[in-house]
Amino acid sequence: MASAMEARQLVATVVLMCILLHKASAQNLIKNPKIQKTEHSLLINEINADNPGEDTSEFVELYHTSGREAPLDDYYLVFYNGNGNQAYKVLNLQGKVTDNQGFFLVGSSTVKPQPSVILPKNTIQNGPDAIALYYGKGNYQKGMRVTSDGLVDALVHKSRKSDRADMLLNVLTPNRDAFLEDPSFRTTDESIERCHGEGSQWIFQVAMPTPGKDNHCIPSSQLNASAVLISEVHAVTSPGESEFIELQGPPSTVLRDLVLVLIEGRTKGVYFFMDVYGKTSPEGLFLIGPVQARTPVDLPFPPNSSSPLLSTGPQAIALYVGNSSSFTLGKAACATNLLDALVYTSNGSADPELLEILTPGRHAYENNSHQPGNMSMSRCSCCSVTRDPSIYALSSPTPGQFNDCPSSRFSQPISLCLHIADCQLWLLGSYEIQTALAQALDKLCNCGMSVAYFKDPVTTCRGTELVSTMLLTAKSAEQLSSLVQAFTSFLESPRAASFSSWNATVEKACSKDANVTASPPGASSEGTSEPPSLAAELLINEVNPDNPGGQEDMEYIELLYTGQTRFDLRGYWLVLYNGKNNQAYRVVNLTGYCTNEQGYFLVGSAWVTPSPVIVLPPNTIQNGGDAVALYHSTTFTYSMGMAVTEAGLVDAVVYKSRASDRADKLLKVLTPGQNILYEDDSHSSQDESLSRCNSQSPRVHSSFQVTTITPFGENACANSSAPSLTVPSLLINELSLANSTAPYQFIELKGKPGATLGGYTLVFFSGQDGKAYASIPLRGTFGATGLFVIAPSGPLRPDQQLPFVKNAPSVRRGSSAVAVYNSRQARIPVDMMVTLENLVDALVYTWESSTGRGQLNRLGPSHFVPCAEERPVSLSRCSCCDVSAALVYAISDPTPGLENSCPLKSLAVDLDMCLLTPNCSMWTPNPERAHDSLEKVLTKSIEENCACGISQFYVHELNFTCTDSMLQLSGQVWAKSPEQQHLILKWHRDFTASPHPFSVDGRVLKTNKECVAPDNAVSTSQNGSSFQAWEIALFVLGSILLTLTLVAVAISYFKRHSLNYTTIEMNDRRQVAADF
């Protein structure tokens, strides 16, 4: 009886869900009577409805997401009155066009620049009202009732908190509140402006009016910031100028417990400090300067301060947490409690030790102004990057206002090709390349060029050539022209260039091909001969041109950015070619779009789930023999009907769905020397696609397999194509380190009992030059335990003697490595450079936590040895045979010939804590790097607290989630003994209770006591499962079955009620997200 009742309830639930799904879909669709192109869209960008006094400066700003001139035919701008919900003004935009930057102004005659449509004063009502943008041939006229038919965008606004406009909200922007244009935000005028928020969503902010210009948005990272940073520095260079220091932080926030410190760049001594207190402006700015400054300051310098206080350099400005009682004049600067720092110079070099303390790994900012008039050093990146002078640019002073920075609106992709000896090592030197190039261009154009003008740098190797591509930005079209001309002059003749401690030659021939804007980062023009690139790039990831049945409404093309993070598609084009005439039958401009956070981007039919970002009519993608090609160019326009071309080609797929199809010309141009791909419909009784599986090489057909469809997800590749990792015949099992006079106490190898070691050589490398300084041919066999000990003669009785090496470099300076090679020659030559040829296993380690990357990193990840005492300590392998694991060695006591001493899960301590972060979005694009950085910082903190031999291997299952400004951390720290476990527990209590912020990759974090579990107990990790586990499993299984039933019923229903494809129906919020 009960089961029958449950069955009836299940059926009723399914029917109810279908009805609700259908109604919800009907309500969320925008019905346009004419097919509207979805490649770009027109949006309401800024509204100023309420002016101080008489409303004579009202305006509405529209923006076309192409960023260029666009016709506004069939668009209507409708103004609604919240009292009655009727239109009080309707503007037909037929025949109108945006300006060459995509802006279109409607407003009062006093607005500058002059609006294209002039409104009488007091036309735009203050609220509660609405402004809506429509597209189509609808009957839009004054007095009409509010409607969502043809709606493209809308904003419901008000000027008083108590105002209500429920009907307008329900029809135009459901589930959103009316936006308040708060007149108390500024003493002068303000407007409502569209800005980019977190999660790739558009939001609105109240800000200073900017008609016909880019909105002055406060970045979401600054809105969520928990730290204050240095925003702008102006040191006087001539009489009459006013020096100042501007800070930036969360808007309208009280500042306390901050100290501003000035440091002499040559002596490292503190010569001035002051407490910082007050409140940031609504824009998040805080101005410090002389009391008699032209622009009123929020906090004046002390009365007895020298004038001028700021020199032209070398000098450093630092911001600390604390109070001024902690600082002493003349004392050297330190990194304790440091929030942000800027080291700059114009007439000499700063002390290298000071740079390493305040801005590690970065050069001082070169304040060599060639421009007339006073200039400032302005931060051009907000808000997670700290202690980095490379994010500052020379600009006109803007005290109390947004900084004058280069913009992507004025930009051009450039590429630089260098001929070098070891390309793989240079992949690590992108910053050095940018620095040298910026200095060279500044000398040529005298325009205040700095590294901040470069965006999205990518470096990749092509044999002995290193190709560095980046986006060159500028503040104006004129400056961009000067910079491009300077870059062209730089490439005129081959030259030697110095990048830090490395030398290279600029290749003119290579640059001739690479600096063309049609060549994107990572693009290849050499077909299949090029090896896979190590740099991230945009590729065609999956193509589904042929669907079962005749509707062809599940077609799609999936792109993937291999960096697996959000990627701007500016300058990219998707072109579909007909194999019969070798001409383009469809062209999609991807400028204005971005991939999702995982790097995916989807173009396809409306029935594809999840929904594509760009929707194509059904039966658009031809079945074959045809081709899909991905191009990149900011100068060339790809158009329908054009002949197939290789110009600007990034990736391509030539395919067929019938065995007899051919596309010889497409193959010759797009993928020369290869066979056409066959989407074999016999692969599956359902739908199938061509999926990238075997490599990430562009224009290589062997990279693809026929698989089941996986739009917006990881491809369903066959296991046979997955690379297999083989276990080496022998492994380095333990490395025991002693002191600088006798670096190695012993080396223990592990292998199959009875196996011979003949033909293997043990090699010792120094990280100072990346060369081998000693080698030992191995002899003998593994014993019954599978262990083989190599040590100096003595009480250990080794299996093979470790000879003494004269003049061996100290293993406590920089990185060192021990490697095993399989080589026929008896002895590896001394001074051999690091190589992967015949490498069996290697262990790289360092005693210095700040050691940079070098040649030895080619052998594997570097293991940090934190123990400072002059006592023997071992690096013990604690992951038997996983050659793919990043870190497999743990710090332990020496155990020669015995089982290694490894941390145990049974002695784990739960690592649960919450951390305040200025900006969640900076943690999600590259989670692997974030995990690694967090592990290193936590490991270092534990070891500094307990001095008990903790390394990164002790941290397990580290995971984090970030919401708003809260980074929630989970995982475990394993221990080797109860005593070590107790020390880790004590560290956890002290760490979570500490009020001091700390830094991870320049991102400021601070523990939040309220979120930390009160009793962070030892993890019990019991073998017995909870008695509720089976109930949870049944509940999850039931939920999955119910979901599948709902999806099947919904699909069946909608298949029987096919859409009218003479129209495009699109959700307004989805369109906004897609357009961005």
Side-chain angles (χ1 to χ4, degrees):
M1 192 70 176
S3 60
M5 179 66 71
E6 291 173 357
R8 286 196 295 271
Q9 290 177 347
L10 178 61
V11 172
T13 302
V14 171
V15 173
L16 179 60
M17 288 298 296
C18 290
I19 295 173
L20 292 176
L21 284 171
H22 177 60
K23 288 188 175 181
S25 63
Q27 290 174 356
N28 286 326
L29 293 175
I30 297 176
K31 297 176 172 57
N32 293 336
K34 178 180 178 180
I35 294 179
Q36 181 182 348
K37 293 182 180 179
T38 60
E39 278 79 358
H40 290 290
S41 176
L42 191 68
L43 300 173
I44 297 173
N45 198 49
E46 186 177 358
I47 294 174
N48 187 3
D50 188 14
N51 311 139
E54 193 173 15
D55 290 346
T56 57
S57 300
E58 305 170 324
F59 67 86
V60 177
E61 179 187 80
L62 305 180
Y63 176 67
H64 197 268
T65 56
S66 66
R68 55 175 73 99
E69 185 176 295
L72 302 184
D73 296 342
D74 296 331
Y75 280 100
Y76 291 82
L77 194 61
V78 180
F79 299 78
Y80 286 108
N81 190 333
N83 183 14
N85 307 309
Q86 294 181 342
Y88 67 87
K89 190 170 189 65
V90 176
L91 296 177
N92 185 349
L93 304 183
Q94 186 73 23
K96 305 293 185 182
V97 293
T98 66
D99 64 15
N100 57 9
Q101 296 184 27
F103 293 109
F104 184 83
L105 274 179
V106 174
S108 306
S109 58
T110 59
V111 174
K112 301 297 180 185
Q114 186 82 24
S116 300
V117 177
I118 302 296
L119 299 177
K121 63 180 181 180
N122 284 317
T123 294
I124 306 176
Q125 297 180 177
N126 295 347
D129 302 299
I131 299 175
L133 182 66
Y134 294 91
Y135 178 86
K137 299 295 186 181
N139 186 21
Y140 305 108
Q141 56 186 341
K142 184 176 180 180
M144 74 177 201
R145 300 283 296 178
V146 62
T147 179
S148 62
D149 291 340
L151 182 64
V152 174
D153 196 14
L155 176 65
V156 182
H157 62 94
K158 60 184 180 181
S159 57
R160 292 191 301 252
K161 293 182 179 180
S162 59
D163 290 340
R164 295 177 64 95
D166 296 340
M167 178 61 73
L168 296 180
L169 289 170
N170 290 337
V171 176
L172 300 176
T173 58
N175 302 320
R176 299 180 188 174
D177 294 328
F179 198 93
L180 174 65
E181 183 183 356
D182 190 354
S184 63
F185 178 79
R186 299 177 59 87
T187 56
T188 56
D189 203 1
E190 73 288 319
S191 66
I192 301 173
E193 303 183 10
R194 180 183 295 274
C195 296
H196 176 209
E198 290 190 74
S200 306
Q201 296 296 317
W202 289 112
I203 62 173
F204 285 93
Q205 294 180 1
V206 176
M208 179 176 61
T210 56
K213 301 177 182 177
D214 288 335
N215 292 343
H216 273 177
C217 299
I218 302 175
S220 58
S221 53
Q222 184 176 349
L223 291 171
N224 297 325
S226 59
V228 179
L229 305 175
I230 300 170
S231 176
E232 185 178 352
V233 175
H234 180 57
V236 297
T237 56
S238 60
E241 298 179 11
S242 295
E243 60 183 349
F244 65 84
I245 300 171
E246 183 184 74
L247 308 180
Q248 76 174 30
S252 304
T253 300
V254 175
L255 302 182
R256 60 170 67 92
D257 298 329
L258 295 174
V259 185
L260 182 67
V261 179
L262 305 184
I263 304 157
E264 213 287 323
R266 294 188 179 90
T267 65
K268 302 177 294 182
V270 174
Y271 73 86
F272 173 84
F273 54 84
M274 63 179 289
D275 290 305
V276 177
Y277 52 89
K279 186 177 182 181
T280 60
S281 69
E283 289 85 8
L285 303 178
F286 187 85
L287 195 62
I288 305 173
V291 67
Q292 71 277 12
R294 296 178 181 176
T295 302
V297 297
D298 300 298
L299 180 65
F301 291 140
N304 57 350
S305 303
S306 60
S307 181
L309 191 59
L310 302 175
S311 69
T312 56
Q315 181 173 336
I317 300 172
L319 193 62
Y320 290 87
V321 174
N323 56 70
S324 58
S325 61
S326 303
F327 295 87
T328 305
L329 293 176
K331 188 177 179 180
C334 66
T336 306
N337 295 329
L338 179 62
L339 278 181
D340 196 14
L342 169 63
V343 184
Y344 65 92
T345 181
S346 62
N347 53 9
S349 58
D351 185 275
E353 187 176 346
L354 178 66
L355 287 168
E356 190 61 28
I357 292 172
L358 299 181
T359 58
R362 290 292 188 257
H363 303 297
Y365 183 85
E366 297 284 345
N367 184 16
N368 298 321
S369 175
H370 307 284
Q371 299 175 318
N374 55 348
M375 304 296 290
S376 283
M377 292 168 284
S378 298
R379 169 183 282 267
C380 291
S381 177
C382 177
C383 295
S384 60
V385 180
T386 63
R387 302 166 63 183
D388 187 354
S390 69
I391 63 175
Y392 289 82
L394 210 59
S395 67
S396 55
T398 57
Q401 301 176 25
F402 290 96
N403 291 347
D404 179 23
C405 291
S407 168
S408 298
R409 180 177 295 279
F410 308 104
S411 62
Q412 179 170 323
I414 61 172
S415 297
L416 179 68
C417 291
L418 305 174
H419 181 75
I420 52 181
D422 191 335
C423 185
Q424 298 299 323
L425 181 61
W426 274 64
L427 287 176
L428 312 173
S430 176
Y431 168 71
E432 302 292 348
I433 295 173
Q434 294 175 62
T435 301
L437 181 58
Q439 292 173 350
L441 296 185
D442 190 42
K443 290 179 181 178
L444 292 170
C445 70
N446 294 334
C447 51
M449 175 70 181
S450 67
V451 177
Y453 281 70
F454 298 129
K455 306 293 183 186
D456 306 324
V458 176
T459 55
T460 184
C461 287
R462 298 198 308 203
T464 59
E465 293 174 346
L466 180 136
V467 182
S468 180
T469 62
M470 60 199 80
L471 189 68
L472 177 63
T473 63
K475 299 178 185 177
S476 64
E478 294 76 15
Q479 188 186 41
L480 178 62
S481 176
S482 299
L483 289 172
V484 171
Q485 185 177 358
F487 182 69
T488 303
S489 300
F490 177 76
L491 301 176
E492 280 301 318
S493 59
R495 67 182 71 195
S498 177
F499 300 90
S500 185
S501 58
W502 305 328
N503 292 322
T505 302
V506 178
E507 291 286 333
K508 181 180 179 181
C510 172
S511 299
K512 182 178 180 181
D513 298 328
N515 68 353
V516 178
T517 57
S519 299
S524 166
S525 59
E526 302 178 7
T528 60
S529 61
E530 182 182 327
S533 170
L534 296 178
E537 53 191 332
L538 188 69
L539 297 173
I540 298 171
N541 194 52
E542 188 176 357
V543 180
N544 184 16
D546 187 17
N547 309 143
Q551 291 186 323
E552 299 284 353
D553 54 4
M554 289 287 289
E555 305 170 326
Y556 65 85
I557 300 165
E558 180 187 77
L559 305 180
L560 173 66
Y561 177 61
T562 58
Q564 295 185 334
T565 186
R566 183 178 175 81
F567 181 71
D568 188 355
L569 300 183
R570 172 188 172 91
Y572 283 92
W573 302 72
L574 199 60
V575 180
L576 311 186
Y577 286 109
N578 188 330
K580 292 182 174 60
N581 59 12
N582 306 308
Q583 294 180 352
Y585 66 88
R586 184 85 180 190
V587 176
V588 181
N589 186 354
L590 302 179
T591 296
Y593 294 99
C594 294
T595 68
N596 65 11
E597 299 297 337
Q598 289 73 45
Y600 292 105
F601 187 84
L602 204 62
V603 178
S605 305
W607 274 102
V608 177
T609 304
S611 299
V613 180
I614 296 180
V615 177
L616 300 177
N619 209 12
T620 294
I621 305 175
Q622 298 179 178
N623 296 347
D626 303 298
V628 176
L630 179 67
Y631 293 91
H632 183 275
S633 175
T634 57
T635 57
F636 184 76
T637 300
Y638 301 90
S639 58
M640 290 179 60
M642 73 174 194
V644 61
T645 178
E646 194 183 7
L649 183 63
V650 176
D651 196 10
V653 172
V654 186
Y655 61 90
K656 63 182 180 180
S657 58
R658 292 179 299 184
S660 59
D661 289 338
R662 299 181 60 131
D664 296 340
K665 179 65 177 294
L666 297 181
L667 284 170
K668 183 178 180 180
V669 176
L670 301 176
T671 56
Q674 302 178 63
N675 294 324
I676 191 169
L677 284 172
Y678 180 25
E679 186 189 3
D680 187 358
D681 58 7
S682 64
H683 172 83
S684 171
S685 60
Q686 300 177 345
D687 204 358
E688 71 287 318
S689 65
L690 296 168
S691 298
R692 180 178 292 276
C693 290
N694 302 327
S695 79
Q696 293 185 343
S697 299
R699 304 171 63 188
V700 177
H701 278 172
S702 61
S703 303
F704 287 82
Q705 294 180 2
V706 178
T707 71
T708 55
I709 62 173
T710 56
F712 265 134
E714 185 177 353
N715 292 346
C717 301
N719 292 332
S720 59
S721 67
S724 60
L725 297 173
T726 58
V727 179
S729 54
L730 65 85
L731 298 168
I732 299 174
N733 193 53
E734 185 177 351
L735 180 66
S736 182
L737 307 169
N739 52 55
S740 57
T741 57
Y744 299 110
Q745 189 182 25
F746 66 86
I747 300 162
E748 182 183 80
L749 306 178
K750 186 173 184 177
K752 184 178 180 180
T756 180
L757 284 88
Y760 292 97
T761 303
L762 190 65
V763 184
F764 301 87
F765 288 100
S766 168
Q768 298 178 29
D769 54 12
K771 296 181 179 179
Y773 65 87
S775 63
I776 305 173
L778 298 178
R779 302 181 180 88
T781 58
F782 287 103
T785 61
L787 300 178
F788 188 90
V789 177
I790 306 166
S793 58
L796 283 181
R797 295 185 179 180
D799 299 294
Q800 182 172 340
Q801 185 175 344
L802 180 65
F804 177 77
V805 179
K806 292 183 179 180
N807 302 320
S810 172
V811 298
R812 295 203 175 212
R813 299 179 62 182
S815 296
S816 301
V818 176
V820 178
Y821 284 89
N822 185 351
S823 178
R824 293 181 180 178
Q825 57 191 41
R827 185 179 295 273
I828 300 289
V830 177
D831 293 337
M832 178 190 79
M833 293 298 296
V834 167
T835 177
L836 301 181
E837 186 177 359
N838 296 320
L839 178 68
V840 177
D841 196 15
L843 171 54
V844 184
Y845 66 94
T846 178
W847 298 83
E848 301 174 357
S849 60
S850 60
T851 301
R853 294 182 61 87
Q855 286 277 4
L856 297 188
N857 288 93
R858 297 179 61 190
L859 298 175
S862 181
H863 293 73
F864 171 54
V865 183
C867 303
E869 306 90 34
E870 296 293 328
R871 63 177 178 83
V873 63
S874 280
L875 282 166
S876 297
R877 178 180 284 273
C878 291
S879 178
C880 165
C881 310
D882 184 5
V883 296
S884 65
L887 296 172
V888 296
Y889 292 89
I891 300 296
S892 72
D893 296 324
T895 57
L898 302 173
E899 184 179 353
N900 288 349
S901 175
C902 293
L904 304 174
K905 187 174 183 179
S906 59
L907 296 176
V909 175
D910 286 333
L911 189 65
D912 294 327
M913 62 180 70
C914 286
L915 307 172
L916 296 173
T917 177
N919 183 6
C920 265
S921 63
M922 297 302 296
W923 293 92
T924 52
N926 195 338
E928 291 81 8
R929 178 178 176 182
H931 276 99
D932 184 64
S933 300
L934 283 167
E935 281 186 1
K936 288 180 178 178
V937 170
L938 293 173
T939 301
K940 182 179 179 182
S941 176
I942 298 173
E943 179 59 26
E944 289 176 349
N945 184 272
C946 74
C948 54
I950 297 291
S951 63
Q952 198 171 343
F953 184 83
Y954 283 64
V955 181
H956 290 264
E957 300 176 2
L958 183 68
N959 196 10
F960 67 84
T961 56
C962 204
T963 306
D964 297 329
S965 298
M966 189 73 70
L967 190 76
Q968 192 163 3
L969 215 59
S970 63
Q972 292 181 335
V973 181
W974 294 4
K976 294 182 301 182
S977 65
E979 293 76 18
Q980 191 182 50
Q981 181 190 53
H982 176 74
L983 294 173
I984 297 172
L985 279 169
K986 181 179 180 299
W987 163 83
H988 189 277
R989 288 192 295 268
D990 295 343
F991 186 81
T992 53
S994 173
H996 302 297
F998 60 98
S999 175
V1000 177
D1001 284 346
R1003 308 163 186 168
V1004 180
L1005 292 171
K1006 185 177 181 181
T1007 57
N1008 182 10
K1009 301 178 185 177
E1010 299 177 0
C1011 182
V1012 177
D1015 296 318
N1016 196 291
V1018 179
S1019 175
T1020 54
S1021 196
Q1022 300 174 358
N1023 293 329
S1025 300
S1026 169
F1027 75 95
Q1028 294 179 343
W1030 66 272
E1031 293 179 294
I1032 296 174
L1034 285 178
F1035 175 77
V1036 172
L1037 181 60
S1039 300
I1040 293 173
L1041 291 175
L1042 177 60
T1043 302
L1044 291 174
T1045 303
L1046 292 174
V1047 171
V1049 173
I1051 291 175
S1052 175
Y1053 180 85
F1054 290 133
K1055 284 287 187 179
R1056 295 181 181 182
H1057 296 76
S1058 58
L1059 289 174
N1060 178 7
Y1061 286 102
T1062 60
T1063 66
I1064 285 185
E1065 302 180 334
M1066 185 168 56
N1067 181 286
D1068 60 334
R1069 282 164 291 185
R1070 183 185 304 164
Q1071 177 183 352
V1072 170
D1075 290 332
F1076 174 71

